[in-house]
């Protein structure tokens, strides 16, 4: 017999008990509380995380600067290539223009000198700058052109 509310003479009903045991089931749960971290340990963890972040930031900054330098080198190389192509085009134009110089000079009345040297045409008459008669100086040159040797 079971002890029910302090009375041993009362008989326990099996049906009620089985019904109640299905209805309410007592369970126990063990709850363990974690103690909080001490302040020193928290500071240690925080400093470790900050140190790692600082190292990663430094590496990132270094990679960014290297990337910028490489990008500038690439841009300079492309600029050099375009300038070299432009120089080639201009040298071709220069050669073409040099070939046209004698033709244009002949069209404008240039005559190839027979003697080497510089040819200067001296005007006949008075020189306005110093008032000297230039005709006396050109007496040596019969055709009015003075020639200087190199």
């Amino acid at each position: 017999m079971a002890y029910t509310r302090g009375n041993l003479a009362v008989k326990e009903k099996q049906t009620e008990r089985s019904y109640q045991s299905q209805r309410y089931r007592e369970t126990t749960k063990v709850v363990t509380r974690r103690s909080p971290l001490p302040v020193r340990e928290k500071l240690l963890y925080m400093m470790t995380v900050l140190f790692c972040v600082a190292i990663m930031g430094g590496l990132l900054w270094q990679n960014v600067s290297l990337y910028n330098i490489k990008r500038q080198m690439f841009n300079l190389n492309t600029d050099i290539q375009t300038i070299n192509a432009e120089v080639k085009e201009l040298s071709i134009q220069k050669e073409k223009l040099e070939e046209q110089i004698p033709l244009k000079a002949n069209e404008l009345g240039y005559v190839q000198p027979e003697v080497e040297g510089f040819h200067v045409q001296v005007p006949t008459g008075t020189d306005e700058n110093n008032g000297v008669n230039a005709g006396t100086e050109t007496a040596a040159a019969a055709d009015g052109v003075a020639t200087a040797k190199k």
Side-chain angles (χ1 to χ4, degrees), residues 23-36:
R23 197 170 178 194
Y24 296 108
R25 187 172 181 189
E26 288 185 31
T27 56
T28 58
K29 189 174 184 181
V30 178
V31 177
T32 56
R33 290 191 175 193
R34 298 176 79 188
S35 61

Side-chain angles (χ1 to χ4, degrees), residues 14-26:
Q14 292 293 334
T15 57
E16 288 180 13
R17 186 171 198 182
S18 64
Y19 181 71
Q20 284 181 352
S21 65
Q22 287 177 359
R23 197 170 178 194
Y24 296 108
R25 187 172 181 189
E26 288 185 31

Side-chain angles (χ1 to χ4, degrees), residues 44-64:
L44 176 68
Y45 291 150
M46 190 183 311
M47 290 299 169
T48 304
V49 169
L50 288 175
F51 178 74
C52 292
V53 167
I55 294 294
M56 286 190 285
L59 291 174
L60 183 66
W61 183 263
Q62 187 178 12
N63 285 339
V64 165

Side-chain angles (χ1 to χ4, degrees), residues 111-127:
V111 179
Q112 193 78 16
E114 296 152 4
V115 183
E116 266 189 53
F118 295 103
H119 299 285
V120 180
Q121 188 170 7
V122 179
T124 57
T126 60
D127 191 7

